[in-house]
Amino acid sequence: VKIKVVSDQVRYIDSLPLHDTQKLIEETPEYGIFTYYLVPTYDFRQELLRYGPDVEVLEPEVLRNEMKADIAQMYKIYGL
């Protein structure tokens, strides 16, 4: 799994890893890229969703699509 995190959250996620396999592989002034070696579970997805727009799933595509579906369902419930 590969995620992109906005710069304001990089230090926080780095200090409290989401999983034992977490690695920060890239950091810029705008964002950080973390990787994980795991099978994404419902709990992991929920953990990512709790960061809202501060976290973007880059890989794998199947997890990215699951996140999109979760967000679309939330939009249906809360809408604007």
Side-chain angles (χ1 to χ4, degrees):
V1 174
K2 188 184 285 187
I3 64 171
K4 181 178 181 180
V5 179
V6 297
S7 62
D8 293 348
Q9 295 294 324
V10 170
R11 288 294 132 231
Y12 181 76
I13 291 177
D14 199 32
S15 68
L16 294 169
L18 301 176
H19 190 265
D20 293 339
T21 61
Q22 177 175 298
K23 290 186 180 165
L24 178 61
I25 62 165
E26 181 181 341
E27 189 171 9
T28 74
E30 293 83 32
Y31 63 85
I33 304 287
F34 289 92
T35 60
Y36 303 87
Y37 184 73
L38 56 80
V39 175
T41 61
Y42 174 82
D43 291 337
F44 186 74
R45 245 180 34 234
Q46 293 303 303
E47 196 63 28
L48 295 176
L49 283 168
R50 113 184 153 102
Y51 290 97
D54 292 342
V55 169
E56 177 186 359
V57 173
L58 302 176
E59 296 175 6
E61 191 69 25
V62 67
L63 177 58
R64 187 174 169 87
N65 289 336
E66 288 172 354
M67 298 290 286
K68 285 180 188 178
D70 288 342
I71 294 164
Q73 187 63 25
M74 289 168 52
Y75 184 78
K76 278 185 184 178
I77 293 169
Y78 295 103
L80 292 177

